[in-house]
Amino acid sequence: AGDKAATRLTTWVMLAVGITQVIVQGGLIGRLRKVASEKILILAGTACIAVSFVLLPLVGEHLGYWQMFPVVVLLSFGSGIFTPSQSSLLSRSVGGHEQGGMLGLGQSMSALGRIVGPASSGFLFEHVDYGAPLFVGAVLVAVGFLIATSLRPPPAST
């Protein structure tokens, strides 16, 4: 019975993530970009991600698993506004002849994070605490937020 409940909960969580991503990247990001700069969207995205990482370990322990949905939606929203804004800012930070290389570098760093993150998270989960990977992630994202506060808009192309 527990396996069915876990499978059902996982299905609903993945559905919430997917619906949020479709809404954000399917139209909301364009509207948000018209009223906010890429820097603001990057800051908002990293803030949402960091807050979600802090809240997720509390879900189940203190709140109950069904209350994870607002946190998961916040995480998906943050990721959904961060990723395209970061890519756009990266591509505009260099001249036209360097854009491919810069986007490739950005994708390489993202892939590196998807390799190092799970490996180090597994270690933290096993040897420290089940919430440690998320708390460490929140700190790292918060550092990214602080770095992003110093972003300057790229010069206008001529």
Side-chain angles (χ1 to χ4, degrees):
D3 288 344
K4 279 189 174 186
T7 300
R8 194 171 321 135
L9 181 61
T10 302
T11 301
W12 283 107
V13 167
M14 292 293 113
L15 186 62
V17 168
I19 289 171
T20 303
Q21 289 294 313
V22 166
I23 291 169
V24 172
Q25 293 185 357
L28 186 59
I29 189 70
R31 290 184 181 112
L32 290 173
R33 182 58 187 99
K34 289 179 183 175
V35 297
S37 68
E38 288 145 338
K39 177 181 177 177
I40 295 298
L41 293 175
I42 287 169
L43 291 171
T46 55
C48 290
I49 293 167
V51 167
S52 299
F53 281 0
V54 169
L55 293 176
L56 277 172
L58 303 176
V59 173
E61 183 177 335
H62 299 292
L63 300 175
Y65 290 108
W66 287 100
Q67 276 115 0
M68 82 169 48
F69 287 99
V71 179
V72 169
V73 168
L74 181 65
L75 177 60
S76 298
F77 175 79
S79 176
I81 63 173
F82 171 80
T83 303
S85 301
Q86 176 258 346
S87 293
S88 175
L89 196 60
L90 273 178
S91 73
R92 293 185 325 102
S93 69
V94 294
H97 62 287
E98 298 172 302
Q99 285 180 342
M102 181 57 76
L103 287 171
L105 179 63
Q107 290 299 316
S108 296
M109 294 297 105
S110 182
L112 182 63
R114 287 190 298 273
I115 293 168
V116 173
S120 58
S121 292
F123 177 83
L124 290 169
F125 183 87
E126 187 173 334
H127 296 290
V128 179
D129 181 65
Y130 78 95
L134 290 163
F135 290 129
V136 169
V139 169
L140 293 173
V141 173
V143 169
F145 176 91
L146 292 174
I147 292 168
T149 61
S150 67
L151 288 174
R152 305 237 185 314
S157 56
T158 56

